Amino acid sequence: MKRIAILLSSLLLLLTGCGGNAADGSYEQITQEKAKEMMDTEEVIILDVRE
């Protein structure tokens, strides 16, 4: 019985971790002009992941 509870809990955590809201972790491509405007007027984080 204890093993089944652990297995079901693990499965539930796995499924909820793989799911997600479209707003969470999503990105939006913007133009250079829009990026410059955002950097000048807002507090933003720029992350460059190019190799």
Side-chain angles (χ1 to χ4, degrees):
M1 183 68 170
K2 201 173 200 179
R3 278 192 209 184
I4 293 174
I6 292 172
L7 179 64
L8 289 176
S9 297
S10 299
L11 182 61
L12 179 62
L13 287 173
L14 177 66
L15 291 175
T16 57
C18 292
N21 192 340
D24 295 340
S26 64
Y27 66 93
E28 176 185 348
Q29 291 185 343
I30 59 173
T31 63
Q32 293 174 354
E33 293 80 18
K34 177 67 175 170
K36 175 70 173 136
E37 178 185 325
M38 290 173 70
M39 287 187 284
D40 290 342
T41 61
E42 302 174 31
E43 184 176 327
V44 295
I45 297 174
I46 307 296
L47 177 62
D48 185 357
V49 295
R50 296 177 290 184
E51 293 183 3

Short mmCIF file of all heavy atoms in Angstrom, two decimals:
data_model
loop_
_atom_site.label_atom_id
_atom_site.label_comp_id
_atom_site.label_asym_id
_atom_site.label_seq_id
_atom_site.Cartn_x
_atom_site.Cartn_y
_atom_site.Cartn_z
N MET A 1 0.83 -1.20 0.00
CA MET A 1 0.00 0.00 0.00
C MET A 1 0.87 1.26 0.00
O MET A 1 0.55 2.22 -0.68
CB MET A 1 -0.92 -0.04 1.23
CG MET A 1 -1.88 1.11 1.28
SD MET A 1 -3.07 0.97 -0.05
CE MET A 1 -4.21 2.20 0.37
N LYS A 2 1.95 1.21 0.77
CA LYS A 2 2.84 2.37 0.86
C LYS A 2 3.52 2.61 -0.49
O LYS A 2 3.70 3.75 -0.90
CB LYS A 2 3.88 2.11 1.95
CG LYS A 2 4.52 3.33 2.49
CD LYS A 2 5.41 2.97 3.67
CE LYS A 2 5.68 4.16 4.52
NZ LYS A 2 6.52 3.84 5.67
N ARG A 3 3.89 1.53 -1.17
CA ARG A 3 4.54 1.67 -2.48
C ARG A 3 3.59 2.30 -3.50
O ARG A 3 4.01 3.11 -4.31
CB ARG A 3 4.97 0.31 -3.01
CG ARG A 3 6.26 -0.15 -2.48
CD ARG A 3 6.72 -1.32 -3.28
NE ARG A 3 7.54 -2.19 -2.48
CZ ARG A 3 8.14 -3.25 -2.92
NH1 ARG A 3 7.98 -3.64 -4.16
NH2 ARG A 3 8.89 -3.98 -2.13
N ILE A 4 2.34 1.91 -3.45
CA ILE A 4 1.35 2.47 -4.39
C ILE A 4 1.18 3.96 -4.15
O ILE A 4 1.12 4.75 -5.09
CB ILE A 4 0.01 1.73 -4.28
CG1 ILE A 4 0.18 0.29 -4.76
CG2 ILE A 4 -1.07 2.44 -5.07
CD1 ILE A 4 -1.04 -0.58 -4.55
N ALA A 5 1.14 4.37 -2.89
CA ALA A 5 1.00 5.79 -2.57
C ALA A 5 2.21 6.58 -3.07
O ALA A 5 2.06 7.67 -3.63
CB ALA A 5 0.82 5.97 -1.07
N ILE A 6 3.39 6.03 -2.88
CA ILE A 6 4.61 6.70 -3.35
C ILE A 6 4.62 6.78 -4.88
O ILE A 6 4.95 7.81 -5.45
CB ILE A 6 5.87 5.98 -2.82
CG1 ILE A 6 5.95 6.15 -1.32
CG2 ILE A 6 7.12 6.50 -3.50
CD1 ILE A 6 7.04 5.33 -0.66
N LEU A 7 4.23 5.70 -5.52
CA LEU A 7 4.19 5.67 -6.98
C LEU A 7 3.19 6.69 -7.53
O LEU A 7 3.50 7.45 -8.45
CB LEU A 7 3.83 4.27 -7.47
CG LEU A 7 3.72 4.09 -8.98
CD1 LEU A 7 5.07 4.33 -9.64
CD2 LEU A 7 3.21 2.70 -9.30
N LEU A 8 2.00 6.73 -6.95
CA LEU A 8 0.99 7.69 -7.40
C LEU A 8 1.43 9.13 -7.14
O LEU A 8 1.22 10.02 -7.97
CB LEU A 8 -0.35 7.40 -6.73
CG LEU A 8 -1.05 6.14 -7.20
CD1 LEU A 8 -2.31 5.91 -6.40
CD2 LEU A 8 -1.37 6.19 -8.69
N SER A 9 2.06 9.37 -6.01
CA SER A 9 2.55 10.72 -5.71
C SER A 9 3.62 11.14 -6.70
O SER A 9 3.62 12.27 -7.19
CB SER A 9 3.12 10.78 -4.29
OG SER A 9 2.12 10.51 -3.35
N SER A 10 4.53 10.22 -7.00
CA SER A 10 5.59 10.51 -7.97
C SER A 10 5.01 10.79 -9.35
O SER A 10 5.44 11.71 -10.04
CB SER A 10 6.57 9.35 -8.05
OG SER A 10 7.18 9.14 -6.82
N LEU A 11 4.04 10.00 -9.74
CA LEU A 11 3.40 10.19 -11.03
C LEU A 11 2.69 11.54 -11.10
O LEU A 11 2.79 12.26 -12.09
CB LEU A 11 2.42 9.05 -11.31
CG LEU A 11 1.71 9.08 -12.64
CD1 LEU A 11 2.71 8.99 -13.79
CD2 LEU A 11 0.72 7.93 -12.74
N LEU A 12 2.01 11.89 -10.04
CA LEU A 12 1.31 13.18 -9.99
C LEU A 12 2.30 14.34 -10.09
O LEU A 12 2.08 15.29 -10.84
CB LEU A 12 0.50 13.29 -8.70
CG LEU A 12 -0.26 14.58 -8.50
CD1 LEU A 12 -1.31 14.75 -9.60
CD2 LEU A 12 -0.93 14.59 -7.14
N LEU A 13 3.42 14.26 -9.37
CA LEU A 13 4.43 15.32 -9.44
C LEU A 13 5.04 15.41 -10.83
O LEU A 13 5.28 16.50 -11.34
CB LEU A 13 5.52 15.08 -8.40
CG LEU A 13 5.13 15.33 -6.96
CD1 LEU A 13 6.25 14.89 -6.02
CD2 LEU A 13 4.80 16.79 -6.73
N LEU A 14 5.27 14.27 -11.45
CA LEU A 14 5.83 14.25 -12.79
C LEU A 14 4.88 14.90 -13.79
O LEU A 14 5.28 15.73 -14.61
CB LEU A 14 6.13 12.81 -13.22
CG LEU A 14 6.67 12.64 -14.63
CD1 LEU A 14 8.05 13.27 -14.75
CD2 LEU A 14 6.72 11.18 -15.00
N LEU A 15 3.61 14.56 -13.70
CA LEU A 15 2.64 15.10 -14.65
C LEU A 15 2.41 16.59 -14.44
O LEU A 15 2.28 17.34 -15.40
CB LEU A 15 1.32 14.34 -14.54
CG LEU A 15 1.36 12.90 -15.05
CD1 LEU A 15 0.02 12.22 -14.78
CD2 LEU A 15 1.71 12.83 -16.51
N THR A 16 2.37 17.03 -13.21
CA THR A 16 2.16 18.47 -12.98
C THR A 16 3.41 19.26 -13.33
O THR A 16 3.32 20.41 -13.75
CB THR A 16 1.75 18.75 -11.53
OG1 THR A 16 2.74 18.22 -10.66
CG2 THR A 16 0.40 18.16 -11.22
N GLY A 17 4.58 18.66 -13.19
CA GLY A 17 5.82 19.34 -13.56
C GLY A 17 5.96 19.49 -15.05
O GLY A 17 6.54 20.44 -15.55
N CYS A 18 5.43 18.54 -15.82
CA CYS A 18 5.55 18.59 -17.27
C CYS A 18 4.49 19.48 -17.90
O CYS A 18 4.65 19.93 -19.02
CB CYS A 18 5.42 17.18 -17.87
SG CYS A 18 6.81 16.14 -17.44
N GLY A 19 3.41 19.68 -17.21
CA GLY A 19 2.36 20.55 -17.73
C GLY A 19 2.79 21.98 -17.55
O GLY A 19 3.84 22.30 -17.02
N GLY A 20 1.98 22.88 -18.00
CA GLY A 20 2.35 24.27 -17.78
C GLY A 20 1.33 25.20 -18.39
O GLY A 20 0.53 24.83 -19.22
N ASN A 21 1.41 26.39 -17.94
CA ASN A 21 0.56 27.44 -18.45
C ASN A 21 1.27 28.08 -19.64
O ASN A 21 2.48 28.21 -19.66
CB ASN A 21 0.35 28.48 -17.34
CG ASN A 21 -0.74 29.45 -17.66
OD1 ASN A 21 -1.10 29.62 -18.82
ND2 ASN A 21 -1.27 30.08 -16.64
N ALA A 22 0.52 28.47 -20.64
CA ALA A 22 1.13 29.07 -21.83
C ALA A 22 1.89 30.35 -21.48
O ALA A 22 2.86 30.69 -22.13
CB ALA A 22 0.06 29.35 -22.88
N ALA A 23 1.44 31.05 -20.46
CA ALA A 23 2.10 32.30 -20.08
C ALA A 23 3.40 32.04 -19.32
O ALA A 23 4.29 32.87 -19.32
CB ALA A 23 1.16 33.15 -19.24
N ASP A 24 3.50 30.91 -18.68
CA ASP A 24 4.70 30.59 -17.90
C ASP A 24 5.77 30.02 -18.82
O ASP A 24 5.55 29.06 -19.53
CB ASP A 24 4.40 29.58 -16.80
CG ASP A 24 3.44 30.13 -15.78
OD1 ASP A 24 3.30 31.36 -15.68
OD2 ASP A 24 2.84 29.33 -15.09
N GLY A 25 6.94 30.59 -18.76
CA GLY A 25 8.05 30.06 -19.52
C GLY A 25 7.96 30.29 -21.01
O GLY A 25 8.74 29.74 -21.77
N SER A 26 7.04 31.09 -21.44
CA SER A 26 6.93 31.35 -22.87
C SER A 26 7.78 32.57 -23.23
O SER A 26 8.28 33.26 -22.37
CB SER A 26 5.47 31.56 -23.27
OG SER A 26 4.96 32.72 -22.66
N TYR A 27 7.94 32.77 -24.50
CA TYR A 27 8.71 33.92 -24.94
C TYR A 27 7.99 34.60 -26.09
O TYR A 27 7.09 34.05 -26.70
CB TYR A 27 10.12 33.51 -25.36
CG TYR A 27 10.15 32.63 -26.59
CD1 TYR A 27 10.30 33.18 -27.84
CD2 TYR A 27 10.03 31.24 -26.48
CE1 TYR A 27 10.32 32.38 -28.97
CE2 TYR A 27 10.05 30.44 -27.60
CZ TYR A 27 10.20 31.01 -28.84
OH TYR A 27 10.22 30.22 -29.95
N GLU A 28 8.41 35.80 -26.36
CA GLU A 28 7.82 36.59 -27.44
C GLU A 28 8.96 37.22 -28.22
O GLU A 28 9.85 37.84 -27.65
CB GLU A 28 6.94 37.68 -26.84
CG GLU A 28 6.35 38.63 -27.84
CD GLU A 28 5.58 39.76 -27.18
OE1 GLU A 28 5.32 39.69 -25.97
OE2 GLU A 28 5.26 40.72 -27.88
N GLN A 29 8.97 37.03 -29.52
CA GLN A 29 9.98 37.66 -30.34
C GLN A 29 9.59 39.12 -30.56
O GLN A 29 8.44 39.42 -30.85
CB GLN A 29 10.12 36.95 -31.69
CG GLN A 29 10.71 35.58 -31.55
CD GLN A 29 10.96 34.93 -32.90
OE1 GLN A 29 10.42 35.35 -33.91
NE2 GLN A 29 11.77 33.89 -32.91
N ILE A 30 10.58 40.00 -30.40
CA ILE A 30 10.32 41.43 -30.57
C ILE A 30 11.38 42.00 -31.49
O ILE A 30 12.44 41.41 -31.70
CB ILE A 30 10.31 42.16 -29.21
CG1 ILE A 30 11.66 41.98 -28.51
CG2 ILE A 30 9.16 41.70 -28.34
CD1 ILE A 30 11.80 42.81 -27.26
N THR A 31 11.11 43.18 -32.00
CA THR A 31 12.05 43.85 -32.89
C THR A 31 13.14 44.53 -32.05
O THR A 31 13.02 44.69 -30.84
CB THR A 31 11.34 44.93 -33.72
OG1 THR A 31 10.84 45.93 -32.83
CG2 THR A 31 10.21 44.35 -34.55
N GLN A 32 14.21 44.92 -32.74
CA GLN A 32 15.29 45.63 -32.07
C GLN A 32 14.79 46.95 -31.48
O GLN A 32 15.18 47.33 -30.38
CB GLN A 32 16.42 45.91 -33.05
CG GLN A 32 17.12 44.67 -33.52
CD GLN A 32 18.15 44.98 -34.60
OE1 GLN A 32 18.27 46.10 -35.09
NE2 GLN A 32 18.91 43.96 -34.97
N GLU A 33 13.93 47.60 -32.20
CA GLU A 33 13.39 48.88 -31.73
C GLU A 33 12.57 48.70 -30.46
O GLU A 33 12.68 49.49 -29.51
CB GLU A 33 12.54 49.54 -32.82
CG GLU A 33 13.31 50.00 -34.04
CD GLU A 33 13.63 48.87 -35.03
OE1 GLU A 33 12.98 47.80 -34.98
OE2 GLU A 33 14.54 49.06 -35.84
N LYS A 34 11.75 47.66 -30.44
CA LYS A 34 10.93 47.38 -29.26
C LYS A 34 11.82 47.01 -28.07
O LYS A 34 11.58 47.45 -26.95
CB LYS A 34 9.94 46.25 -29.56
CG LYS A 34 9.09 45.83 -28.39
CD LYS A 34 8.12 46.90 -27.98
CE LYS A 34 7.22 46.36 -26.88
NZ LYS A 34 6.40 47.38 -26.27
N ALA A 35 12.88 46.24 -28.31
CA ALA A 35 13.81 45.88 -27.24
C ALA A 35 14.48 47.12 -26.66
O ALA A 35 14.59 47.26 -25.44
CB ALA A 35 14.86 44.90 -27.77
N LYS A 36 14.92 48.01 -27.53
CA LYS A 36 15.55 49.26 -27.08
C LYS A 36 14.57 50.09 -26.25
O LYS A 36 14.92 50.62 -25.19
CB LYS A 36 16.04 50.06 -28.29
CG LYS A 36 16.60 51.41 -27.97
CD LYS A 36 17.91 51.33 -27.24
CE LYS A 36 18.51 52.72 -27.10
NZ LYS A 36 19.04 52.98 -25.80
N GLU A 37 13.33 50.18 -26.72
CA GLU A 37 12.31 50.93 -25.99
C GLU A 37 12.06 50.32 -24.61
O GLU A 37 11.96 51.04 -23.61
CB GLU A 37 11.01 50.93 -26.80
CG GLU A 37 9.85 51.63 -26.13
CD GLU A 37 8.56 51.49 -26.91
OE1 GLU A 37 8.60 51.47 -28.15
OE2 GLU A 37 7.51 51.37 -26.27
N MET A 38 12.00 48.99 -24.54
CA MET A 38 11.77 48.33 -23.27
C MET A 38 12.95 48.54 -22.31
O MET A 38 12.75 48.77 -21.12
CB MET A 38 11.55 46.83 -23.48
CG MET A 38 10.23 46.49 -24.16
SD MET A 38 10.09 44.75 -24.57
CE MET A 38 9.93 44.02 -22.94
N MET A 39 14.16 48.50 -22.83
CA MET A 39 15.34 48.71 -21.99
C MET A 39 15.38 50.14 -21.45
O MET A 39 15.87 50.37 -20.34
CB MET A 39 16.62 48.40 -22.76
CG MET A 39 16.82 46.92 -22.99
SD MET A 39 18.42 46.53 -23.72
CE MET A 39 18.16 47.01 -25.41
N ASP A 40 14.90 51.08 -22.23
CA ASP A 40 14.92 52.48 -21.81
C ASP A 40 13.83 52.81 -20.81
O ASP A 40 13.99 53.70 -19.99
CB ASP A 40 14.80 53.40 -23.02
CG ASP A 40 16.04 53.38 -23.90
OD1 ASP A 40 17.11 52.94 -23.42
OD2 ASP A 40 15.93 53.79 -25.08
N THR A 41 12.69 52.12 -20.89
CA THR A 41 11.53 52.52 -20.08
C THR A 41 11.14 51.54 -18.99
O THR A 41 10.39 51.90 -18.09
CB THR A 41 10.30 52.74 -20.99
OG1 THR A 41 10.00 51.50 -21.65
CG2 THR A 41 10.54 53.82 -22.00
N GLU A 42 11.61 50.30 -19.04
CA GLU A 42 11.19 49.29 -18.09
C GLU A 42 12.40 48.59 -17.49
O GLU A 42 13.51 48.69 -18.00
CB GLU A 42 10.33 48.21 -18.78
CG GLU A 42 9.09 48.71 -19.47
CD GLU A 42 8.39 47.60 -20.23
OE1 GLU A 42 8.47 46.44 -19.79
OE2 GLU A 42 7.77 47.90 -21.25
N GLU A 43 12.16 47.88 -16.41
CA GLU A 43 13.19 47.01 -15.85
C GLU A 43 13.01 45.65 -16.50
O GLU A 43 12.03 44.96 -16.27
CB GLU A 43 13.02 46.89 -14.33
CG GLU A 43 14.11 46.07 -13.69
CD GLU A 43 14.00 46.04 -12.19
OE1 GLU A 43 13.55 47.02 -11.60
OE2 GLU A 43 14.33 44.99 -11.63
N VAL A 44 13.95 45.29 -17.35
CA VAL A 44 13.87 44.03 -18.09
C VAL A 44 15.15 43.24 -17.91
O VAL A 44 16.19 43.79 -17.56
CB VAL A 44 13.62 44.26 -19.60
CG1 VAL A 44 12.27 44.88 -19.86
CG2 VAL A 44 14.71 45.10 -20.22
N ILE A 45 15.06 41.97 -18.16
CA ILE A 45 16.24 41.10 -18.12
C ILE A 45 16.49 40.60 -19.54
O ILE A 45 15.59 40.04 -20.18
CB ILE A 45 16.01 39.90 -17.18
CG1 ILE A 45 15.81 40.38 -15.76
CG2 ILE A 45 17.18 38.91 -17.28
CD1 ILE A 45 15.43 39.29 -14.79
N ILE A 46 17.68 40.85 -20.03
CA ILE A 46 18.07 40.39 -21.37
C ILE A 46 18.94 39.16 -21.19
O ILE A 46 19.97 39.22 -20.50
CB ILE A 46 18.84 41.48 -22.14
CG1 ILE A 46 18.05 42.80 -22.16
CG2 ILE A 46 19.21 41.00 -23.52
CD1 ILE A 46 16.75 42.72 -22.88
N LEU A 47 18.57 38.06 -21.81
CA LEU A 47 19.32 36.82 -21.71
C LEU A 47 19.71 36.37 -23.10
O LEU A 47 18.85 36.04 -23.92
CB LEU A 47 18.48 35.75 -21.02
CG LEU A 47 19.10 34.37 -20.90
CD1 LEU A 47 20.37 34.43 -20.06
CD2 LEU A 47 18.10 33.40 -20.30
N ASP A 48 20.99 36.40 -23.38
CA ASP A 48 21.50 35.98 -24.69
C ASP A 48 21.98 34.55 -24.57
O ASP A 48 22.90 34.24 -23.82
CB ASP A 48 22.65 36.90 -25.10
CG ASP A 48 23.16 36.61 -26.49
OD1 ASP A 48 22.66 35.67 -27.14
OD2 ASP A 48 24.09 37.33 -26.94
N VAL A 49 21.36 33.64 -25.32
CA VAL A 49 21.69 32.22 -25.21
C VAL A 49 22.40 31.71 -26.46
O VAL A 49 22.53 30.51 -26.65
CB VAL A 49 20.43 31.37 -24.93
CG1 VAL A 49 19.85 31.72 -23.57
CG2 VAL A 49 19.39 31.56 -26.02
N ARG A 50 22.89 32.63 -27.26
CA ARG A 50 23.63 32.22 -28.46
C ARG A 50 24.93 31.57 -28.06
O ARG A 50 25.52 31.90 -27.05
CB ARG A 50 23.91 33.42 -29.36
CG ARG A 50 22.64 34.05 -29.92
CD ARG A 50 22.98 35.25 -30.74
NE ARG A 50 23.46 36.33 -29.83
CZ ARG A 50 23.77 37.54 -30.21
NH1 ARG A 50 23.68 37.87 -31.50
NH2 ARG A 50 24.18 38.44 -29.34
N GLU A 51 25.39 30.65 -28.91
CA GLU A 51 26.68 30.00 -28.65
C GLU A 51 27.81 30.84 -29.18
O GLU A 51 27.68 31.60 -30.07
CB GLU A 51 26.71 28.63 -29.32
CG GLU A 51 25.73 27.68 -28.67
CD GLU A 51 25.81 26.30 -29.30
OE1 GLU A 51 26.66 26.05 -30.18
OE2 GLU A 51 25.02 25.46 -28.89
#
